[in-house]
Amino acid sequence: MLVEWALSLVNPAPLHLRRLGYVRQSGLLHARSRRCRAAWAPHLTRARGVILAAAEATARRGSAVVLGSGLLDDVPLDALAGLFERVTLVDAVHPWPARLAARPHRTAALVTAEISAGLTDPDLWRICAEADLIVSANLLSQLPIVPIEAYEARGREAPPRLGTQIVETHLAALDRLAAGTGRVCLITDTVQREEDRAGGVTDSHDLMFGVALPKPAEAWDWQIAPFGEIGRRRRLIHRVHAYPDWRASGG
Ligand SMILES: C[S@@+](CC[C@H](N)C(=O)[O-])C[C@H]1O[C@@H](n2cnc3c(N)ncnc32)[C@H](O)[C@@H]1O
């Protein structure tokens, strides 16, 4: 708890995003990613591999945009910066490790934006629409979290379709971008299952809020909370879908 609190204090972010809870959320993720480093490693390797393959398959190499860049744990920034003239990293919070990793790359830019309501900012939309590669990097399932928690913090229930609308809005933005000239690469966790030590599934939770996704080009399990993280006898596994070319997936 102390680590999350300290990270919340030191990570820079505009006040309104801090107040909404994005910095706290980023701190929670940061601390868990470091506690669960070994368990997360296979997932991060797969995600980086998908992004790198998508980048190498992109013919025009003017600019790349990464939505949900966060800690850059799943983003091969050095490779992207080598392949593209410009790389734009978009997130509600750019934690210090990401800022330090981006600093040596003079062609990398950080854009701080809250995008649960879509890519509504005209400048951000233009950057995405002009990009040759747009990556949505393990962001989609996270988008509804803060908006839903904001209702709960006020003792109210979130509108029943809020999560669904947020997921649909992000996918609609990716559809529009994929209809343009750029390649869209989507990586997202889709379902959470809770398992006991015998491998039995004790609970499961649809992270897409009922929105159906097309068949992925690749899929794998992400052990997001190994035994001991949330309980001695249970662990959480997320099923990840990867679409290196969203247009070709029929999404
Ligand atoms: C699971 S992390 C993605 C992993 C990230 N690519 C990495 O390597 O660390 C989800 C990211 O989405 C960001 N995020 C969540 N909701 C957001 C929103 N509404 N707008 C912009 N970014 C958001 C979080 O700040 C976090 O960095």
Side-chain angles (χ1 to χ4, degrees), residues 2-202:
L2 214 58
V3 180
E4 285 91 334
W5 178 75
L7 290 169
S8 301
L9 283 185
V10 298
N11 278 329
L15 190 59
H16 71 284
L17 295 181
R18 185 176 290 282
R19 284 205 176 119
L20 282 169
Y22 284 102
V23 182
R24 186 183 146 270
Q25 192 65 32
S26 164
L28 289 171
L29 204 68
H30 189 162
R32 177 176 278 188
S33 72
R34 277 24 183 186
R35 282 196 305 271
C36 303
R37 197 185 292 269
W40 287 26
H43 155 70
L44 297 177
T45 302
R46 292 283 302 258
R48 280 171 170 258
V50 168
I51 296 172
L52 187 56
E56 286 171 342
T58 303
R60 289 194 330 147
R61 307 263 175 88
S63 83
V65 176
V66 181
L67 304 170
S69 50
L71 287 157
L72 296 175
D73 283 346
D74 55 22
V75 179
L77 177 62
D78 294 345
L80 290 180
L83 289 169
F84 290 84
E85 287 167 24
R86 282 183 315 286
V87 180
T88 306
L89 305 172
V90 182
D91 205 291
V93 181
H94 295 285
W96 275 111
R99 288 173 184 268
L100 294 174
R103 197 168 278 174
H105 299 290
R106 287 179 39 232
T107 52
L110 304 182
V111 171
T112 301
E114 198 281 301
I115 56 171
S116 62
L119 299 168
T120 50
D121 178 83
D123 287 339
L124 179 56
W125 176 260
R126 185 184 45 76
I127 291 168
C128 292
E130 290 174 1
D132 301 305
L133 174 68
I134 304 104
V135 180
S136 174
N138 287 300
L139 162 75
L140 181 55
S141 68
Q142 299 285 307
L143 289 174
I145 293 177
V146 169
I148 288 174
E149 280 182 1
Y151 279 91
E152 291 166 357
R154 281 178 272 145
R156 294 167 54 193
E157 243 183 65
R161 278 188 46 81
L162 180 61
T164 307
Q165 278 165 0
I166 291 173
V167 170
E168 285 175 344
T169 300
H170 188 70
L171 293 177
L174 297 189
D175 285 344
R176 276 184 68 199
L177 291 167
T181 53
R183 169 190 282 258
V184 171
C185 168
L186 167 66
I187 303 173
T188 183
D189 40 359
T190 58
V191 176
Q192 173 176 289
R193 60 180 201 273
E194 185 183 297
E195 284 185 4
D196 61 22
R197 284 205 177 259
V201 177
T202 49

